Amino acid sequence: MRTIVIHATVLTVNQTNQVIYDGAIAFENGVLTHVGQMPDKLDTYDEVIDAKGRIVMPGLVNTHGHTAMSLLRGYADDLPLQEWLETKMWPLEAQFTEDHVRWGTSLSIIEMLKTGTTTFVDMYDHMDMVAELVTASGMRARLCRGVIGLCSAEEQTKKLEEASAFAAKWNETANGRIMTMMSPHGAYTCPPDYVERIVARAHELDLPVHIHMSETEWEVQQNVADYGARPVAHLEKLGVFNRPTLVAHAVHLTDEELDILARYDVKVSHNPISNLKLGSGIARVPDMMERGICVSLGTDSSASNNNLDLFEEMRMVALLHKGHRQNPVLVPASEALRMATIYGAEAIFMDEQIGSLEVGKQADFIMLNSHDVYFQPANDPISHVVYSASGRDVTDVYVQGVQLVKDGKCLTMEEETVIENANRMFELLEKK
Amino acid sequence: MRTIVIHATVLTVNQTNQVIYDGAIAFENGVLTHVGQMPDKLDTYDEVIDAKGRIVMPGLVNTHGHTAMSLLRGYADDLPLQEWLETKMWPLEAQFTEDHVRWGTSLSIIEMLKTGTTTFVDMYDHMDMVAELVTASGMRARLCRGVIGLCSAEEQTKKLEEASAFAAKWNETANGRIMTMMSPHGAYTCPPDYVERIVARAHELDLPVHIHMSETEWEVQQNVADYGARPVAHLEKLGVFNRPTLVAHAVHLTDEELDILARYDVKVSHNPISNLKLGSGIARVPDMMERGICVSLGTDSSASNNNLDLFEEMRMVALLHKGHRQNPVLVPASEALRMATIYGAEAIFMDEQIGSLEVGKQADFIMLNSHDVYFQPANDPISHVVYSASGRDVTDVYVQGVQLVKDGKCLTMEEETVIENANRMFELLEKK
């Protein structure tokens, strides 16, 4: 089956961020075979899709989240962080069963797909269920069982084995759409020797490490009090960065810490909206960019966002740092777009397969209705995508050449069933 | 004609921010006659609208903008402010004719209506055209001819007469949907005596004053250099605040300046996205709230935003200050909602007519599709509207009881014609 999409405004996000007007992309067996001008002949294609009035661009990559937590969207906002965690989130999450994860993650998958995200990172529990849903939905994901080590040695071992078994079992499954990682939840939730054991396992399995780091000032000071070092030096000493590593948040960093991250080529998942909503602070993204650190974008969970529309993170990263530093040339639209696509792919060590529209890469792409007023006058499409678009403008989504969203409807998930069950599971939680 | 909307989740934005589940609102002759539970009998109504699965809330109020500038959306981003103004915006705006305003403002009106804004402030030139478009579109607006006084005394007088004539002619027209103001553009663009003349005219016409103030640190320092005072003291001395006044931006303020604004009950139009994008800075909104200053929301123009979706400003104000101050309890969702509605109405001195859904007020309201995944689980609807919704979720818009948007389509403007002409007028501009 050879398919071609024609008459599109193509944002390639290749090396030069090339935009092709009235362009075409073609694919076969899930792989892009043409990205460029309209070919002279279309009769060699089995399917021809007219994308006039649409933008075609790479599917977005969401590099940090906890998808099951969509069940708690809007449940508790505007509270001090520790109160929010201790009295609201943790008591409810403690009640989560595999069924909660089933419906919370399903809700998230539908939302992500409909708003143009084709690949996501998930760090949570009951990950077999998540992997099964990814498989069924047709989406792409890099998954890890997030391990909290504040428990007995026995329990620690059990969790580590569970995380390893999951990672080994599911890596490179679902036709390569699922990849895995090993994930110590954070330096403040995993004792040093436990972090080392998890990292050793990541070495054995040859997998990257994903970890929360330096999200709040409190966390940094706690690390100094507990271990006599700020989180970056602490994790460096534990050997974490000797593995390919993706850190989430990275808000509170010194110059020296930024230099260490750059030296080890540690990837960052910048979660601007979650960091704002929880009052965590504003990450030093312009300084990361200056050092060549790979900055990607994550939503974190719907409980601290409260949605999974990565277009909003893309706009936020382009706006926030300009205003915070009072410098309007920081984080231009072209870089924000790359953070949501190719840098996202790089952050999860998959940039050879996804993140841009180039021949030989996977056919993971989305289409936006760019005829609406938000995109007029039809000026610079990259500017419009970053500063004016919404995930709601996404009409069609393909992963590996398979259509998952058509005219704004998710083809692979039962939307009504998911909404009904997500509400049912939320109701079942004992709230105080 | 008596109309009732039933089975809605009604966000009243009344004194207590009351939410009515499975509620109803009714109106007759453009005025709300019922806001509350479903009545027992529906047979006294001529029209019954079923709003099951929808949120009904007051239309949003956008308190600062320059609608014609939508023609320049995406034309020039990510530049230093002065370069952006001097080499991009001003040369193109200098070429603007009434026809540019016709199509730029039409584009903006469609965008605002479709994203749930029912009332807007416009400060620009060729305002007769804007008023005619407001009349034809069915929208509500508070309009002013923005006057820049960097010109000859003759020219100053001509502009002042033009602004006064416009304000006098159009105030309380279009069945009360158009109100006007007098507008010296700013302290840095109007010499002191000219500001005084404009304010004197506002006294004569009994109209409020709208002015840009303290948007950038540069502007503040310029004011100190030119007049030996920061903008607030300067404008106070010129008697501006003796009129009801709405200031736009108000980013760079000292404690003392905040106290002065509070004392005179000066209203603020907070434009968080424009202030970020242009690198102007982050306004001291929590300190304004603490002093009881009325903070409303504005988009500014599409050239510095780049859209007019006020849901994004509402979310931004709820997120930005939490992160900037590292305090997650600042600007709760309930207050962000009020800023976009009732405080907006108050900021333009129309809170007795609009801004909340209460019996006796104008029937200016919008409906959102709240069944979609972004609103699930169906928890706190105020949280969902602020933190998860998009203007794209708006399905229906009414002003004075007249439907202007139906199922996402604007009923009173020719969308295709406007898009075509907006592009044509943009192409006609001589760009360098």
Side-chain angles (χ1 to χ4, degrees), chain B residues 333-351:
Chain B
S334 54
E335 282 296 296
L337 174 64
R338 296 182 80 79
M339 289 179 186
T341 53
I342 187 69
Y343 298 161
E346 190 187 333
I348 57 171
F349 313 99
M350 294 172 68
D351 49 315

Side-chain angles (χ1 to χ4, degrees), chain B residues 152-226:
Chain B
S152 68
E154 208 169 27
E155 186 75 10
Q156 281 185 355
T157 299
K158 182 167 161 274
K159 284 185 179 180
L160 173 57
E161 294 309 324
E162 193 184 303
S164 317
F166 169 78
K169 175 182 171 190
W170 287 98
N171 197 44
E172 295 186 54
T173 60
N175 201 27
R177 288 185 289 105
I178 295 181
M179 305 288 284
T180 60
M181 297 188 280
M182 290 297 289
S183 172
H185 173 277
Y188 66 108
T189 50
C190 293
D193 65 317
Y194 194 45
V195 172
E196 286 175 326
R197 287 172 66 196
I198 300 169
V199 171
R201 199 59 67 88
H203 275 295
E204 285 169 35
L205 296 169
D206 194 22
L207 289 173
V209 170
H210 184 33
I211 187 167
H212 292 109
M213 192 189 75
S214 307
E215 180 177 4
T216 64
E217 185 58 38
W218 170 87
E219 177 194 329
V220 172
Q221 293 315 322
Q222 194 63 37
N223 211 90
V224 171
D226 289 347

Side-chain angles (χ1 to χ4, degrees), chain A residues 416 419, chain B residues 52-54 368-376:
Chain A
E416 284 306 315
I419 287 174
Chain B
K52 195 166 157 51
R54 304 213 201 168
L368 279 73
N369 169 13
S370 60
H371 183 68
D372 216 324
V373 286
Y374 321 107
F375 295 82
Q376 305 295 343

Side-chain angles (χ1 to χ4, degrees), chain A residues 77-78 312 315 383 387, chain B residues 77-78 312 315 383 387 392:
Chain A
D77 299 309
D78 308 332
E312 293 194 2
R315 175 151 48 250
S383 165
Y387 290 121
Chain B
D77 300 308
D78 308 332
E312 293 194 3
R315 174 148 53 247
S383 166
Y387 290 121
R392 313 296 206 267

Side-chain angles (χ1 to χ4, degrees), chain A residues 259-391:
Chain A
D259 292 340
I260 295 173
L261 296 183
R263 193 179 326 131
Y264 285 92
D265 195 18
V266 170
K267 318 296 185 186
V268 170
S269 178
H270 176 42
N271 297 189
I273 293 180
S274 172
N275 295 157
L276 290 174
K277 182 157 187 281
L278 298 178
S280 305
I282 297 174
R284 297 177 58 186
V285 168
D287 303 319
M288 294 177 189
M289 293 170 72
E290 215 172 82
R291 283 165 174 81
I293 293 172
C294 173
V295 179
S296 63
L297 297 173
T299 54
D300 210 350
S301 88
S302 286
S304 62
N305 190 300
N306 292 348
N307 66 52
L308 304 178
D309 180 350
L310 209 71
F311 282 88
E312 293 194 2
E313 308 296 329
M314 186 157 55
R315 175 151 48 250
M316 185 62 90
V317 74
L319 292 170
L320 180 60
H321 305 285
K322 291 178 172 71
H324 184 226
R325 302 278 182 103
Q326 297 190 31
N327 181 353
V329 307
L330 297 176
V331 197
S334 54
E335 281 298 296
L337 173 65
R338 296 181 78 80
M339 288 179 187
T341 52
I342 187 69
Y343 298 162
E346 190 186 332
I348 57 171
F349 313 98
M350 294 173 68
D351 48 313
E352 289 187 8
Q353 298 101 282
I354 59 168
S356 60
L357 301 180
E358 296 177 89
V359 171
K361 278 197 167 182
Q362 296 281 296
D364 289 20
F365 65 94
I366 63 179
M367 296 197 217
L368 280 74
N369 170 13
S370 60
H371 183 67
D372 216 323
V373 286
Y374 321 106
F375 294 83
Q376 304 295 343
N379 266 326
D380 181 353
I382 291 179
S383 165
H384 288 350
V385 160
V386 172
Y387 290 121
S388 192
S390 158

